[in-house]
Amino acid sequence: MMERLLERSFVVPGLNMPVGLDALAGLVPVMGDIVMAALGAYIVWEARNLGMSKWQLARMGMNVLFDTAIGAIPVVGDAADFVFRSNSRNLRIIRKHLDKHHPQTRVIEG
């Protein structure tokens, strides 16, 4: 749910490309990047509560750190938010962990 809000809240008309709060908040200098980094860190915190390995948490943290660092660059960072979706990457890491260690949590999408 959090990933969808941050990365795929709505579709840009004409481009047919999903965007979320991460891309929009990135347009607000400094404060937008700080808030999005905090929300990304929250996802990593919840992954820690799931008992994920330190390696997985480090990968997730690096995704958030990279997204925040690139997002801090004016104009380039705003464009990068459309391409590098750290929260989507982190959700894939969490789902892979859950599928392996907690198969009863699998969601059948169709």
Side-chain angles (χ1 to χ4, degrees):
M1 185 69 161
M2 175 79 79
E3 180 268 342
R4 180 171 294 201
L5 177 68
L6 295 176
E7 305 288 5
R8 304 178 284 129
S9 296
F10 57 93
V11 176
V12 175
L15 294 178
N16 203 24
M17 180 178 227
V19 296
L21 291 180
D22 192 15
L24 295 177
L27 298 173
V28 178
V30 183
M31 196 61 192
D33 294 321
I34 291 171
V35 170
M36 290 303 109
L39 291 173
Y42 173 75
I43 293 172
V44 177
W45 174 262
E46 287 299 325
R48 179 194 159 283
N49 291 338
L50 289 171
M52 294 179 67
S53 72
K54 289 182 182 181
W55 168 249
Q56 291 168 318
L57 295 174
R59 278 184 56 202
M60 293 174 69
M62 291 305 291
N63 285 337
V64 172
L65 183 64
F66 181 77
D67 188 29
T68 303
I70 293 297
I73 302 170
V75 181
V76 173
D78 299 328
D81 279 335
F82 289 103
V83 178
F84 186 81
R85 298 174 184 250
S86 64
N87 299 304
S88 296
R89 290 171 187 256
N90 289 344
L91 181 60
R92 276 194 299 272
I93 294 170
I94 292 171
R95 283 187 173 165
K96 187 175 178 182
H97 170 81
L98 290 175
D99 287 348
K100 183 176 181 181
H101 298 285
H102 305 281
Q104 69 275 15
T105 63
R106 283 194 185 139
V107 175
I108 299 172
E109 296 178 19

